[in-house]
């Protein structure tokens, strides 16, 4: 299995632009998680889906952030408009079962907002 | 919600020494405790996990212990090697919450 696949690996864009991060979970996994990692705040859970349905989005920092999962093999995290404080590494992870099962992380997207 | 405290934030050891990282959690309903290793610039990877019906689990040089009464669990690495240098995260699941991480530095 190829594992969780994220794209792009790196994104540099100017403040105010729309940013879209993409994730393909491991085939057969029914949970998908989006995390943000910064030095100051560590690894934060933003939102997670079960069978393509958003279950908990309480970690989404503000309305500028949105996430979708149109099918079992694809999810997006969108930031519009982007701000410099959104600069971070964004990880997608998937699991077979909820948090009490091992999560498999993608390689992350390093986002820099200038 | 769950709150996970992890200590120490950094840990420096000599190659061959043992390293111990400790975590405490707040929600007595938590029943799953994974540990992840993250090398610089890489993704977190699961290295070992333990469930609440088990007190200790070992896999070669790494082991995890769980004390449900005291609500703490620990990662033990024996015979450390330079390639063990990384950031280690604990997590606790009732809602999956990660600790802030421990940077382990193993000097040759």
């Amino acid at each position: 299995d190829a594992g969780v696949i994220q794209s792009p690996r790196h994104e540099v864009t100017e403040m105010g632009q729309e940013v879209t991060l993409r994730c393909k979970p491991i085939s057969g996994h029914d949970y998908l998680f989006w995390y943000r990692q910064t030095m100051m705040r560590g690894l934060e859970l933003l939102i997670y889906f079960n069978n393509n349905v958003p279950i908990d989005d309480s970690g989404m920092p503000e309305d500028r952030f949105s996430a979708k999962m149109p099918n079992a093999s694809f999810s997006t995290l969108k930031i519009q408009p982007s701000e410099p404080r959104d600069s971070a590494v964004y990880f997608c992870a998937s699991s077979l079962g909820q948090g009490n099962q091992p999560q498999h992380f993608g390689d992350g997207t390093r986002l820099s907002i200038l | 919600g769950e709150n996970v405290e992890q200590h120490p934030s950094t840990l420096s050891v000599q190659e061959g020494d043992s390293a111990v990282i400790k975590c405490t959690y707040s929600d007595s309903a938590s029943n799953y405790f994974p540990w992840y290793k993250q090398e610089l610039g890489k993704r977190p990877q699961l290295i070992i996990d333990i469930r609440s019906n088990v007190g200790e689990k070992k896999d070669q040089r790494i082991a995890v212990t769980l004390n449900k009464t005291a609500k703490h669990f620990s990662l033990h690495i024996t015979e450390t090697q330079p390639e063990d240098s990384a950031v280690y995260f604990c997590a606790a699941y009732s809602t999956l919450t990660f600790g802030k991480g421990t940077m382990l530095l193993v000097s040759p």
Side-chain angles (χ1 to χ4, degrees):
Chain A
D1 197 318
V4 176
I5 299 173
Q6 291 187 245
S7 65
R9 289 295 311 278
H10 304 274
E11 176 87 12
V12 181
T13 192
E14 293 189 345
M15 182 174 65
Q17 297 297 306
E18 178 179 290
V19 173
T20 300
L21 311 182
R22 298 172 175 80
C23 176
K24 175 179 168 58
I26 291 173
S27 177
H29 281 190
D30 56 348
Y31 281 84
L32 183 141
F33 307 82
W34 281 101
Y35 291 91
R36 178 172 67 176
Q37 186 176 38
T38 62
M39 288 294 294
M40 291 298 294
R41 301 174 70 90
L43 199 59
E44 302 174 276
L45 177 64
L46 300 178
I47 185 171
Y48 74 91
F49 297 81
N50 174 220
N51 291 325
N52 314 338
V53 176
I55 302 300
D56 184 355
D57 65 353
S58 60
M60 297 284 262
E62 47 197 278
D63 292 345
R64 298 184 297 105
F65 286 69
S66 62
K68 295 181 180 179
M69 192 166 185
N71 57 63
S73 59
F74 184 65
S75 178
T76 60
L77 178 67
K78 188 173 291 187
I79 308 172
Q80 167 63 18
S82 58
E83 297 183 4
R85 60 195 168 115
D86 301 330
S87 298
V89 180
Y90 291 81
F91 286 102
C92 175
S94 70
S95 68
L96 185 61
Q98 204 179 351
N100 62 349
Q101 298 298 326
Q103 292 190 14
H104 301 262
F105 284 77
D107 288 331
T109 295
R110 183 172 296 276
L111 177 64
S112 297
I113 308 296
L114 306 178
Chain B
E2 178 64 276
N3 182 48
V4 177
E5 298 284 338
Q6 183 172 346
H7 299 280
S9 56
T10 60
L11 179 59
S12 295
V13 299
Q14 293 290 319
E15 182 176 2
D17 289 349
S18 295
V20 180
I21 302 170
K22 299 181 179 181
C23 289
T24 60
Y25 62 98
S26 60
D27 189 345
S28 57
S30 288
N31 58 12
Y32 175 62
F33 307 91
W35 286 88
Y36 289 83
K37 175 184 180 182
Q38 186 177 25
E39 298 177 0
L40 187 63
K42 301 282 185 68
R43 60 185 172 171
Q45 291 190 287
L46 181 75
I47 55 171
I48 195 168
D49 56 9
I50 191 168
R51 299 186 185 275
S52 57
N53 59 345
V54 176
E56 183 173 359
K57 184 176 179 181
K58 190 173 182 180
D59 183 3
Q60 299 183 345
R61 295 187 298 107
I62 61 173
V64 58
T65 58
L66 171 65
N67 183 326
K68 287 180 58 181
T69 303
K71 293 208 232 45
H72 66 71
F73 56 112
S74 300
L75 178 71
H76 304 253
I77 306 174
T78 58
E79 300 173 24
T80 54
Q81 302 168 3
E83 50 265 38
D84 294 329
S85 297
V87 177
Y88 292 80
F89 294 94
C90 64
Y93 175 69
S94 54
T95 57
L96 193 66
T97 303
F98 284 83
K100 294 296 186 194
T102 297
M103 180 176 292
L104 174 64
L105 300 171
V106 182
S107 303

